[in-house]
Amino acid sequence: MTDKYSGPERIFSGVQPTGALHLGNYLGALKKFVALQHDYECLYCIVDLHAITVWQEPAKLKSQTREIAAAYLAAGVDPDVAIIYPQSLVREHMELAWYFNCVARTGWVNRMTQFKDKAGKNAENVSVGLYAYPVLQAADILLYKATHVPVGEDQKQHLELSRDIAQKFNNDFSVPNFFPLPEPLIKGPGARVMSLRDGTSKMSKSDPSDNSRINLTDSAEVIVKKFKKAKTDMGVMPGPGEDLSDRPEVDNLIGIYAALSGETRQTVIARFEGQGFGAFKPALADLAVDKLSPMTSLMNRYLADPDEIDRILMRGADRARALATPIMDEIRSTIGFLGS
Ligand code: TYM
């Protein structure tokens, strides 16, 4: 018995196919996916089973799944290296989620702030799936015994739940270190991109104001316009060491610049110190257009050939299933099912 998980390091992450991706998804997740793919075995899932926890039009779900695949590819994920696939094509995700429903405690799930935010006052009327959502997320990760999970900061609590589930399974069935306790990879200036209209709320697909976010499908003109309209304040760009806690919008724009350029926040602050937003905003918009526009046109090129996207996704699902099958066999046998 070793006191530490000794399996291979493996990366897993997922994105929901619930609409156009935005700058937060790109900086919090996709950009990291690309950076990690050559150093680790990586699985990047399109989590359509999570998407249906709220109503999705069937035809739209298909096209949105292809759109996320196109975004992965356009961002630079190489499907010959990393595994990209839709979650619903590897049925073991659902099977393991059920086992984990029997391991996780309702008290743990009740604490999930994302459920509370999404359900709001309507908790009695949302799907059971939305409630169990984070348990399925744990199944996604642990089905492959993934050790690291690149995500934005909003997923931190879900990752803690995944660790708790892994630990309880290992304890309950007396299989120490059977599952690794997956580590979130969150750090970096893009981990929490905020709304362009309100620096205290997260940039999100569900914000009713389109001006609050930069979508990966936005044209260069729209990107420039949105940054021009972005909320700031009466001050100028801060200097090094200045406390920005009461200037959340400025703090956010500096973070976006740093994440896009790959520089530290300090470098960005030093460059723009004392300048007006009339100088900073166009520089930020230019940088964003520079980074995002080639990706947008590449995405559209991939989307022009949906059959090719489907081929890539089927192949990815086959590769994912091959990794999941032996792990799932072990899990069934550990739980005590006949025939396993
Ligand atoms: P989703 O689809 O909401 O978001 C996809 C990724 O984008 C990150 N993100 C952000 N990062 C920085 N700033 C923001 N404003 C921002 N908004 C979103 C998210 O943190 C995420 O990394 N539950 C997950 C999907 C999922 C998953 C998994 C992730 C399902 N199973 C297993 C990791 C591992 C979600 O809803 O992501």
Short mmCIF file of all heavy atoms in Angstrom, two decimals, residues 191-242:
data_model
loop_
_atom_site.label_atom_id
_atom_site.label_comp_id
_atom_site.label_asym_id
_atom_site.label_seq_id
_atom_site.Cartn_x
_atom_site.Cartn_y
_atom_site.Cartn_z
N ALA A 191 -8.20 33.55 -14.95
CA ALA A 191 -8.99 32.55 -14.21
C ALA A 191 -10.39 33.03 -13.86
O ALA A 191 -11.29 32.23 -13.64
CB ALA A 191 -8.26 32.17 -12.93
N ARG A 192 -10.54 34.33 -13.80
CA ARG A 192 -11.86 34.87 -13.48
C ARG A 192 -12.08 36.15 -14.26
O ARG A 192 -11.76 37.24 -13.78
CB ARG A 192 -11.97 35.10 -11.97
CG ARG A 192 -13.38 35.45 -11.53
CD ARG A 192 -13.54 35.33 -10.02
NE ARG A 192 -14.84 35.82 -9.58
CZ ARG A 192 -15.96 35.11 -9.68
NH1 ARG A 192 -15.95 33.90 -10.19
NH2 ARG A 192 -17.11 35.62 -9.26
N VAL A 193 -12.56 36.03 -15.47
CA VAL A 193 -12.82 37.19 -16.31
C VAL A 193 -14.20 37.73 -15.95
O VAL A 193 -15.16 36.98 -15.87
CB VAL A 193 -12.76 36.80 -17.81
CG1 VAL A 193 -13.09 38.00 -18.68
CG2 VAL A 193 -11.39 36.23 -18.16
N MET A 194 -14.26 39.03 -15.69
CA MET A 194 -15.51 39.63 -15.22
C MET A 194 -16.26 40.31 -16.36
O MET A 194 -15.70 40.57 -17.44
CB MET A 194 -15.22 40.63 -14.09
CG MET A 194 -14.36 40.08 -12.96
SD MET A 194 -15.00 38.55 -12.24
CE MET A 194 -16.20 39.20 -11.11
N SER A 195 -17.52 40.61 -16.10
CA SER A 195 -18.37 41.29 -17.08
C SER A 195 -17.77 42.65 -17.45
O SER A 195 -17.19 43.33 -16.59
CB SER A 195 -19.75 41.48 -16.46
OG SER A 195 -20.42 42.56 -17.06
N LEU A 196 -17.93 43.06 -18.71
CA LEU A 196 -17.42 44.38 -19.13
C LEU A 196 -18.33 45.50 -18.63
O LEU A 196 -17.98 46.67 -18.70
CB LEU A 196 -17.31 44.45 -20.65
CG LEU A 196 -16.36 43.45 -21.33
CD1 LEU A 196 -16.30 43.71 -22.83
CD2 LEU A 196 -14.96 43.53 -20.73
N ARG A 197 -19.52 45.13 -18.15
CA ARG A 197 -20.47 46.14 -17.67
C ARG A 197 -20.47 46.26 -16.16
O ARG A 197 -21.01 47.21 -15.61
CB ARG A 197 -21.91 45.80 -18.15
CG ARG A 197 -22.07 45.56 -19.63
CD ARG A 197 -21.73 46.78 -20.46
NE ARG A 197 -22.50 47.94 -20.06
CZ ARG A 197 -22.12 49.18 -20.31
NH1 ARG A 197 -20.98 49.43 -20.94
NH2 ARG A 197 -22.87 50.18 -19.94
N ASP A 198 -19.94 45.23 -15.48
CA ASP A 198 -19.98 45.21 -14.01
C ASP A 198 -18.83 44.33 -13.52
O ASP A 198 -18.88 43.11 -13.62
CB ASP A 198 -21.34 44.65 -13.56
CG ASP A 198 -21.37 44.37 -12.06
OD1 ASP A 198 -20.39 44.73 -11.36
OD2 ASP A 198 -22.36 43.80 -11.59
N GLY A 199 -17.81 45.00 -13.00
CA GLY A 199 -16.59 44.28 -12.60
C GLY A 199 -16.76 43.37 -11.41
O GLY A 199 -15.82 42.70 -11.00
N THR A 200 -17.97 43.33 -10.84
CA THR A 200 -18.17 42.44 -9.69
C THR A 200 -18.93 41.17 -10.08
O THR A 200 -19.13 40.30 -9.25
CB THR A 200 -18.94 43.14 -8.54
OG1 THR A 200 -20.23 43.51 -9.03
CG2 THR A 200 -18.20 44.37 -8.04
N SER A 201 -19.39 41.08 -11.34
CA SER A 201 -20.02 39.81 -11.72
C SER A 201 -19.25 39.18 -12.88
O SER A 201 -18.68 39.87 -13.73
CB SER A 201 -21.51 39.99 -12.03
OG SER A 201 -21.66 40.81 -13.15
N LYS A 202 -19.28 37.87 -12.90
CA LYS A 202 -18.46 37.10 -13.83
C LYS A 202 -18.97 37.25 -15.27
O LYS A 202 -20.18 37.34 -15.48
CB LYS A 202 -18.54 35.66 -13.29
CG LYS A 202 -18.24 34.54 -14.20
CD LYS A 202 -18.42 33.22 -13.48
CE LYS A 202 -19.73 32.57 -13.93
NZ LYS A 202 -19.76 31.13 -13.77
N MET A 203 -18.05 37.28 -16.23
CA MET A 203 -18.47 37.25 -17.64
C MET A 203 -19.16 35.91 -17.87
O MET A 203 -18.63 34.86 -17.54
CB MET A 203 -17.26 37.39 -18.57
CG MET A 203 -17.64 37.47 -20.03
SD MET A 203 -16.23 37.73 -21.15
CE MET A 203 -15.86 39.45 -20.90
N SER A 204 -20.37 35.97 -18.45
CA SER A 204 -21.17 34.74 -18.51
C SER A 204 -22.06 34.72 -19.75
O SER A 204 -22.51 35.77 -20.22
CB SER A 204 -22.00 34.68 -17.23
OG SER A 204 -23.22 34.06 -17.44
N LYS A 205 -22.29 33.49 -20.24
CA LYS A 205 -23.17 33.31 -21.41
C LYS A 205 -24.58 33.78 -21.09
O LYS A 205 -25.33 34.16 -21.98
CB LYS A 205 -23.29 31.80 -21.73
CG LYS A 205 -22.10 31.17 -22.38
CD LYS A 205 -22.31 29.66 -22.53
CE LYS A 205 -20.99 28.93 -22.67
NZ LYS A 205 -21.08 27.48 -22.57
N SER A 206 -24.95 33.67 -19.81
CA SER A 206 -26.36 33.91 -19.48
C SER A 206 -26.64 35.38 -19.13
O SER A 206 -27.79 35.73 -18.89
CB SER A 206 -26.78 32.99 -18.32
OG SER A 206 -25.90 33.18 -17.24
N ASP A 207 -25.62 36.24 -19.14
CA ASP A 207 -25.89 37.66 -18.89
C ASP A 207 -26.76 38.21 -20.01
O ASP A 207 -26.42 38.05 -21.19
CB ASP A 207 -24.55 38.42 -18.81
CG ASP A 207 -24.72 39.83 -18.27
OD1 ASP A 207 -25.66 40.53 -18.70
OD2 ASP A 207 -23.90 40.23 -17.43
N PRO A 208 -27.90 38.85 -19.69
CA PRO A 208 -28.79 39.34 -20.76
C PRO A 208 -28.12 40.39 -21.64
O PRO A 208 -28.52 40.56 -22.81
CB PRO A 208 -29.98 39.94 -20.01
CG PRO A 208 -29.62 39.97 -18.56
CD PRO A 208 -28.46 39.04 -18.34
N SER A 209 -27.12 41.11 -21.15
CA SER A 209 -26.47 42.13 -21.98
C SER A 209 -25.31 41.54 -22.79
O SER A 209 -24.31 41.09 -22.22
CB SER A 209 -25.94 43.26 -21.08
OG SER A 209 -25.00 44.03 -21.81
N ASP A 210 -25.45 41.59 -24.11
CA ASP A 210 -24.38 41.06 -24.96
C ASP A 210 -23.11 41.93 -24.83
O ASP A 210 -22.00 41.45 -25.05
CB ASP A 210 -24.85 41.01 -26.42
CG ASP A 210 -23.90 40.18 -27.28
OD1 ASP A 210 -23.64 39.01 -26.92
OD2 ASP A 210 -23.38 40.71 -28.28
N ASN A 211 -23.30 43.20 -24.45
CA ASN A 211 -22.13 44.08 -24.27
C ASN A 211 -21.30 43.71 -23.04
O ASN A 211 -20.22 44.24 -22.84
CB ASN A 211 -22.59 45.53 -24.12
CG ASN A 211 -22.94 46.12 -25.47
OD1 ASN A 211 -22.35 45.75 -26.49
ND2 ASN A 211 -23.93 47.00 -25.49
N SER A 212 -21.80 42.79 -22.23
CA SER A 212 -21.07 42.39 -21.02
C SER A 212 -19.94 41.42 -21.35
O SER A 212 -19.09 41.17 -20.53
CB SER A 212 -22.02 41.72 -20.03
OG SER A 212 -22.41 40.45 -20.52
N ARG A 213 -19.99 40.84 -22.56
CA ARG A 213 -18.99 39.82 -22.88
C ARG A 213 -18.47 39.98 -24.32
O ARG A 213 -19.14 40.53 -25.18
CB ARG A 213 -19.59 38.42 -22.71
CG ARG A 213 -20.73 38.15 -23.65
CD ARG A 213 -21.45 36.83 -23.44
NE ARG A 213 -22.76 36.97 -24.07
CZ ARG A 213 -23.88 37.22 -23.43
NH1 ARG A 213 -23.90 37.28 -22.12
NH2 ARG A 213 -25.01 37.41 -24.09
N ILE A 214 -17.28 39.42 -24.54
CA ILE A 214 -16.74 39.28 -25.90
C ILE A 214 -16.99 37.83 -26.29
O ILE A 214 -16.49 36.91 -25.64
CB ILE A 214 -15.22 39.57 -25.91
CG1 ILE A 214 -14.88 40.95 -25.34
CG2 ILE A 214 -14.64 39.37 -27.31
CD1 ILE A 214 -15.28 42.12 -26.17
N ASN A 215 -17.78 37.62 -27.33
CA ASN A 215 -18.01 36.26 -27.80
C ASN A 215 -16.93 35.88 -28.79
O ASN A 215 -16.43 36.73 -29.54
CB ASN A 215 -19.37 36.17 -28.51
CG ASN A 215 -20.50 36.58 -27.59
OD1 ASN A 215 -20.65 36.04 -26.50
ND2 ASN A 215 -21.29 37.55 -28.01
N LEU A 216 -16.60 34.60 -28.84
CA LEU A 216 -15.56 34.18 -29.80
C LEU A 216 -16.05 34.33 -31.23
O LEU A 216 -15.25 34.25 -32.16
CB LEU A 216 -15.11 32.75 -29.53
CG LEU A 216 -14.42 32.50 -28.18
CD1 LEU A 216 -13.76 31.13 -28.14
CD2 LEU A 216 -13.38 33.57 -27.86
N THR A 217 -17.35 34.54 -31.40
CA THR A 217 -17.89 34.73 -32.75
C THR A 217 -18.02 36.21 -33.11
O THR A 217 -18.45 36.54 -34.21
CB THR A 217 -19.29 34.07 -32.84
OG1 THR A 217 -20.04 34.47 -31.68
CG2 THR A 217 -19.20 32.56 -32.87
N ASP A 218 -17.65 37.12 -32.23
CA ASP A 218 -17.78 38.56 -32.52
C ASP A 218 -16.79 39.00 -33.60
O ASP A 218 -15.64 38.56 -33.62
CB ASP A 218 -17.51 39.39 -31.25
CG ASP A 218 -18.68 39.37 -30.27
OD1 ASP A 218 -19.79 38.98 -30.66
OD2 ASP A 218 -18.46 39.74 -29.10
N SER A 219 -17.27 39.92 -34.46
CA SER A 219 -16.38 40.48 -35.49
C SER A 219 -15.43 41.48 -34.82
O SER A 219 -15.67 41.95 -33.69
CB SER A 219 -17.20 41.21 -36.55
OG SER A 219 -17.82 42.33 -35.95
N ALA A 220 -14.39 41.87 -35.57
CA ALA A 220 -13.42 42.84 -35.05
C ALA A 220 -14.13 44.14 -34.66
O ALA A 220 -13.85 44.73 -33.61
CB ALA A 220 -12.35 43.11 -36.10
N GLU A 221 -15.10 44.59 -35.49
CA GLU A 221 -15.80 45.85 -35.20
C GLU A 221 -16.55 45.75 -33.88
O GLU A 221 -16.55 46.67 -33.06
CB GLU A 221 -16.82 46.20 -36.31
CG GLU A 221 -16.24 46.46 -37.69
CD GLU A 221 -15.73 45.20 -38.37
OE1 GLU A 221 -16.50 44.21 -38.40
OE2 GLU A 221 -14.58 45.18 -38.83
N VAL A 222 -17.19 44.60 -33.68
CA VAL A 222 -17.98 44.43 -32.45
C VAL A 222 -17.06 44.40 -31.22
O VAL A 222 -17.35 45.00 -30.19
CB VAL A 222 -18.86 43.15 -32.54
CG1 VAL A 222 -19.48 42.81 -31.20
CG2 VAL A 222 -19.93 43.33 -33.61
N ILE A 223 -15.92 43.72 -31.37
CA ILE A 223 -14.97 43.67 -30.24
C ILE A 223 -14.52 45.09 -29.87
O ILE A 223 -14.52 45.47 -28.70
CB ILE A 223 -13.74 42.77 -30.60
CG1 ILE A 223 -14.19 41.32 -30.76
CG2 ILE A 223 -12.65 42.89 -29.53
CD1 ILE A 223 -13.11 40.35 -31.19
N VAL A 224 -14.16 45.87 -30.88
CA VAL A 224 -13.71 47.25 -30.63
C VAL A 224 -14.82 48.05 -29.94
O VAL A 224 -14.59 48.75 -28.94
CB VAL A 224 -13.27 47.93 -31.95
CG1 VAL A 224 -13.04 49.42 -31.76
CG2 VAL A 224 -12.02 47.24 -32.51
N LYS A 225 -16.03 47.90 -30.45
CA LYS A 225 -17.17 48.66 -29.88
C LYS A 225 -17.40 48.26 -28.42
O LYS A 225 -17.62 49.10 -27.56
CB LYS A 225 -18.42 48.37 -30.73
CG LYS A 225 -19.61 49.21 -30.37
CD LYS A 225 -20.89 48.67 -30.99
CE LYS A 225 -21.40 47.53 -30.13
NZ LYS A 225 -22.47 46.75 -30.59
N LYS A 226 -17.33 46.94 -28.14
CA LYS A 226 -17.62 46.49 -26.77
C LYS A 226 -16.56 46.99 -25.77
O LYS A 226 -16.88 47.38 -24.66
CB LYS A 226 -17.72 44.96 -26.72
CG LYS A 226 -19.03 44.43 -27.30
CD LYS A 226 -19.09 42.92 -27.19
CE LYS A 226 -20.44 42.39 -27.67
NZ LYS A 226 -20.44 40.91 -27.75
N PHE A 227 -15.29 46.99 -26.20
CA PHE A 227 -14.26 47.50 -25.28
C PHE A 227 -14.40 49.01 -25.10
O PHE A 227 -14.18 49.54 -24.01
CB PHE A 227 -12.85 47.13 -25.74
CG PHE A 227 -12.44 45.74 -25.31
CD1 PHE A 227 -12.12 44.78 -26.25
CD2 PHE A 227 -12.38 45.40 -23.97
CE1 PHE A 227 -11.75 43.48 -25.86
CE2 PHE A 227 -12.02 44.11 -23.57
CZ PHE A 227 -11.70 43.16 -24.52
N LYS A 228 -14.81 49.70 -26.17
CA LYS A 228 -15.01 51.14 -26.06
C LYS A 228 -16.10 51.44 -25.03
O LYS A 228 -16.01 52.37 -24.24
CB LYS A 228 -15.41 51.67 -27.45
CG LYS A 228 -15.23 53.13 -27.61
CD LYS A 228 -15.33 53.52 -29.07
CE LYS A 228 -15.26 55.03 -29.19
NZ LYS A 228 -15.59 55.46 -30.54
N LYS A 229 -17.15 50.61 -25.05
CA LYS A 229 -18.28 50.82 -24.13
C LYS A 229 -18.01 50.26 -22.73
O LYS A 229 -18.83 50.45 -21.83
CB LYS A 229 -19.51 50.10 -24.68
CG LYS A 229 -20.19 50.83 -25.80
CD LYS A 229 -21.58 50.25 -26.00
CE LYS A 229 -22.41 51.10 -26.92
NZ LYS A 229 -23.63 50.43 -27.33
N ALA A 230 -16.93 49.49 -22.58
CA ALA A 230 -16.69 48.82 -21.29
C ALA A 230 -16.67 49.84 -20.16
O ALA A 230 -16.12 50.94 -20.31
CB ALA A 230 -15.36 48.06 -21.33
N LYS A 231 -17.28 49.46 -19.04
CA LYS A 231 -17.35 50.37 -17.90
C LYS A 231 -15.95 50.60 -17.30
O LYS A 231 -15.19 49.63 -17.15
CB LYS A 231 -18.27 49.76 -16.84
CG LYS A 231 -18.58 50.67 -15.70
CD LYS A 231 -19.59 50.05 -14.76
CE LYS A 231 -19.64 50.84 -13.47
NZ LYS A 231 -20.23 50.10 -12.37
N THR A 232 -15.62 51.85 -17.01
CA THR A 232 -14.39 52.14 -16.25
C THR A 232 -14.76 53.13 -15.15
O THR A 232 -15.85 53.02 -14.59
CB THR A 232 -13.25 52.68 -17.14
OG1 THR A 232 -13.78 53.67 -18.01
CG2 THR A 232 -12.58 51.59 -17.94
N ASP A 233 -13.90 54.09 -14.84
CA ASP A 233 -14.25 55.09 -13.83
C ASP A 233 -13.62 56.43 -14.22
O ASP A 233 -13.09 56.57 -15.31
CB ASP A 233 -13.85 54.60 -12.42
CG ASP A 233 -12.36 54.24 -12.35
OD1 ASP A 233 -11.56 54.83 -13.11
OD2 ASP A 233 -12.00 53.37 -11.52
N MET A 234 -13.66 57.39 -13.31
CA MET A 234 -13.19 58.74 -13.64
C MET A 234 -11.66 58.84 -13.58
O MET A 234 -11.10 59.85 -13.99
CB MET A 234 -13.79 59.77 -12.66
CG MET A 234 -15.31 59.76 -12.60
SD MET A 234 -16.03 60.13 -14.21
CE MET A 234 -15.81 61.91 -14.24
N GLY A 235 -10.99 57.83 -13.04
CA GLY A 235 -9.54 57.90 -12.83
C GLY A 235 -8.74 57.61 -14.09
O GLY A 235 -9.28 57.57 -15.21
N VAL A 236 -7.45 57.41 -13.90
CA VAL A 236 -6.55 57.02 -14.99
C VAL A 236 -6.00 55.63 -14.68
O VAL A 236 -6.31 55.06 -13.64
CB VAL A 236 -5.39 58.03 -15.17
CG1 VAL A 236 -5.92 59.37 -15.65
CG2 VAL A 236 -4.58 58.16 -13.90
N MET A 237 -5.16 55.11 -15.57
CA MET A 237 -4.59 53.79 -15.33
C MET A 237 -3.69 53.82 -14.09
O MET A 237 -2.91 54.76 -13.90
CB MET A 237 -3.78 53.34 -16.56
CG MET A 237 -4.64 53.01 -17.76
SD MET A 237 -5.70 51.58 -17.49
CE MET A 237 -4.53 50.24 -17.62
N PRO A 238 -3.82 52.81 -13.24
CA PRO A 238 -3.11 52.81 -11.96
C PRO A 238 -1.60 52.59 -12.11
O PRO A 238 -1.14 52.15 -13.16
CB PRO A 238 -3.73 51.63 -11.23
CG PRO A 238 -4.16 50.70 -12.31
CD PRO A 238 -4.57 51.57 -13.47
N GLY A 239 -0.91 52.87 -11.03
CA GLY A 239 0.53 52.58 -10.98
C GLY A 239 0.80 51.31 -10.19
O GLY A 239 -0.12 50.74 -9.60
N PRO A 240 2.07 50.87 -10.16
CA PRO A 240 2.41 49.62 -9.47
C PRO A 240 2.01 49.67 -7.99
O PRO A 240 2.13 50.71 -7.34
CB PRO A 240 3.94 49.55 -9.59
CG PRO A 240 4.30 50.50 -10.68
CD PRO A 240 3.24 51.54 -10.75
N GLY A 241 1.48 48.57 -7.51
CA GLY A 241 1.18 48.45 -6.08
C GLY A 241 -0.12 49.13 -5.66
O GLY A 241 -0.49 49.08 -4.50
N GLU A 242 -0.79 49.82 -6.60
CA GLU A 242 -2.03 50.51 -6.22
C GLU A 242 -3.13 49.51 -5.91
O GLU A 242 -3.28 48.51 -6.63
CB GLU A 242 -2.44 51.42 -7.39
CG GLU A 242 -2.92 52.77 -6.94
CD GLU A 242 -3.12 53.71 -8.13
OE1 GLU A 242 -2.08 54.10 -8.74
OE2 GLU A 242 -4.27 54.01 -8.47
#
